[in-house]
Amino acid sequence: MQLSTKHLLGIKDLTQEDISLILSTAAQFKEVLQRPVKKVPSLRDITIVNLFYESSTRTRISFELAEKRLSADTINFTASGSSVSKGETLLDTVNNILSMKVDMVVMRHSASGAPHFLAKHIPAAIVNAGDGINEHPTQALLDAFSIKEKLGSLEGKKIVLVGDIMHSRVALSNIYLLKKMGAEVMVAGPPTLIPKYIAEALKVKVEYNLQKALAWCDVANVLRIQLERQNQVLFSSLREYNLAYGVTKKILDGLPKEIVIMHPGPINRGVEIDSDVADSDRSIILQQVENGVAVRMAVLYLLSPKSSTLVNG
Ligand code: CP
């Protein structure tokens, strides 16, 4: 089976079948990653450039590891220390790299739409590793994989995204994916951090009371306050944010049932989530990171020119 798309620019463009194919392929790669020899030759002779114009820890390392596990050749580009500081455009940078026979591009950029722009101008397959406040498709896919692994399915599950919905590409990609796969989705947080028309536009529930939101859900995906993307004061202080919207052990202990806690990272401990929640048995935060490698292997493999070869090939 093949994906319906040449690039992975966003979850918005994927069909339900595409998402199921990526998740089932990721399950096969997760099995590969449990073996003593964690490497398969699936992408031998394929060269992938990781273009990171914005900071990253998890996504960059996860993509690089996924590429190495697939036996691809990898090049890592970070904007700092490159000729971007001398005025080179995104398109010139990428065309120069592609002229060295690079097959695929993984890109993170602070500008929403940067990978979509690139996809119109270059022949290589592009994977969006996060663009501005638009989408972070592989994060949503690894979140979905982790929920499925923990709860058995996505259909009918109640997921709440908590926090800075307004500036979160993780939230938007999760909403698109979870709705396509039949989950019920709620967003919760202060009114200033939730877009006004989100309920009508994306068909999600909205809740401004954290306790009520957590009592409703099976899974809470807690998001970081994206201070780097806010150009105005949207809440009074981090301390007050924690008091009203911080996920604490006390709130969780008062709920009628145990819920699963997720966070895409990086965590701001003591702001959106307390340490005794992030590090507890209810948290699957590090499983999300682990699953990211298998999910990114699946995405790269399915978008590559070699996607007709076998995982065990
Ligand atoms: N979740 C995520 O995108 O983390 P990084 O910014 O560290 O890649």
Side-chain angles (χ1 to χ4, degrees):
M1 277 179 69
Q2 299 249 295
L3 294 176
S4 67
T5 163
K6 180 183 169 196
H7 309 283
L8 177 60
L9 301 177
I11 300 293
K12 195 177 181 183
D13 310 321
L14 297 184
T15 63
Q16 199 183 58
E17 291 71 33
D18 288 331
I19 295 167
S20 296
L21 177 60
I22 293 169
L23 298 182
S24 61
T25 307
Q28 293 180 61
F29 281 124
K30 179 144 185 188
E31 187 273 314
V32 168
L33 294 174
Q34 313 306 315
R35 297 177 191 166
V37 178
K38 299 173 179 58
K39 208 160 170 164
V40 285
S42 310
L43 294 195
R44 188 179 286 154
D45 299 328
I46 296 288
T47 305
I48 305 175
V49 61
N50 301 310
L51 278 182
F52 278 72
Y53 281 80
E54 198 190 61
S55 307
S56 170
T57 298
R58 277 146 294 273
T59 312
R60 192 171 56 79
I61 291 174
S62 181
F63 267 111
E64 192 178 345
L65 200 51
E67 290 151 11
K68 289 187 190 311
R69 300 291 193 224
L70 290 166
S71 305
D73 294 318
T74 64
I75 305 164
N76 291 314
F77 168 95
T78 45
S80 59
S82 76
S83 290
V84 170
S85 61
K86 299 174 193 165
E88 189 165 60
T89 66
L90 171 62
L91 197 52
D92 278 340
T93 300
V94 174
N95 274 328
N96 275 269
I97 293 170
L98 291 184
S99 71
M100 297 182 239
K101 308 284 179 251
V102 169
D103 302 293
M104 300 176 77
V105 177
V106 173
M107 184 168 80
R108 169 168 288 192
H109 204 287
S110 57
S112 299
H116 307 68
F117 166 79
L118 216 53
K120 288 198 180 106
H121 291 92
I122 65 164
I126 297 171
V127 182
N128 181 0
D131 65 318
I133 60 167
N134 181 39
E135 282 222 44
H136 192 347
T138 56
Q139 181 67 47
L141 286 160
L142 74 87
D143 288 347
F145 185 95
S146 305
I147 295 170
K148 214 164 162 254
E149 190 175 61
K150 184 77 183 171
L151 300 182
S153 69
L154 294 168
E155 189 160 6
K157 296 295 179 297
K158 295 177 174 174
I159 320 292
V160 63
L161 298 155
V162 182
D164 186 357
I165 309 301
M166 180 94 77
H167 304 94
S168 173
R169 56 196 176 203
V170 174
L172 192 55
S173 285
N174 260 272
I175 292 169
Y176 286 140
L177 190 152
L178 294 167
K179 296 289 296 178
K180 281 177 199 247
M181 301 309 280
E184 286 186 60
V185 185
M186 176 185 279
V187 293
T192 48
L193 292 178
I194 296 183
K196 262 199 182 68
Y197 303 108
I198 193 166
E200 299 82 53
L202 298 178
K203 308 280 180 273
V204 293
K205 297 178 197 305
V206 177
E207 177 58 66
Y208 302 122
N209 180 300
L210 178 65
Q211 196 135 10
K212 284 187 188 165
L214 297 178
W216 171 84
C217 72
D218 301 307
V219 179
N221 197 346
V222 187
L223 307 175
R224 182 175 66 88
I225 298 289
Q226 312 254 317
L227 287 174
E228 73 277 24
R229 300 191 206 284
Q230 298 181 13
N231 51 14
Q232 53 185 318
V233 180
L234 294 170
F235 53 92
S236 44
S237 70
L238 292 177
R239 176 78 193 123
E240 288 194 33
Y241 181 86
N242 178 253
L243 287 174
Y245 291 101
V247 178
T248 62
K249 185 173 182 303
K250 190 172 167 211
I251 297 179
L252 296 182
D253 286 346
L255 298 178
K257 62 178 178 188
E258 186 143 313
I259 63 168
V260 179
I261 299 294
M262 301 174 68
H263 193 305
I267 295 174
N268 286 143
R269 289 172 183 266
V271 180
E272 71 272 6
I273 192 167
D274 282 2
S275 283
D276 51 7
V277 174
D279 303 331
S280 71
D281 289 346
R282 319 174 213 239
S283 157
I284 58 165
I285 294 171
L286 291 180
Q287 285 97 309
Q288 289 173 258
V289 178
E290 180 187 344
N291 290 333
V293 179
V295 166
R296 290 177 173 120
M297 286 172 79
V299 166
L300 292 166
Y301 169 71
L302 289 167
L303 290 176
S304 79
K306 296 210 168 189
S307 63
S308 54
T309 60
L310 295 171
V311 169
N312 291 318

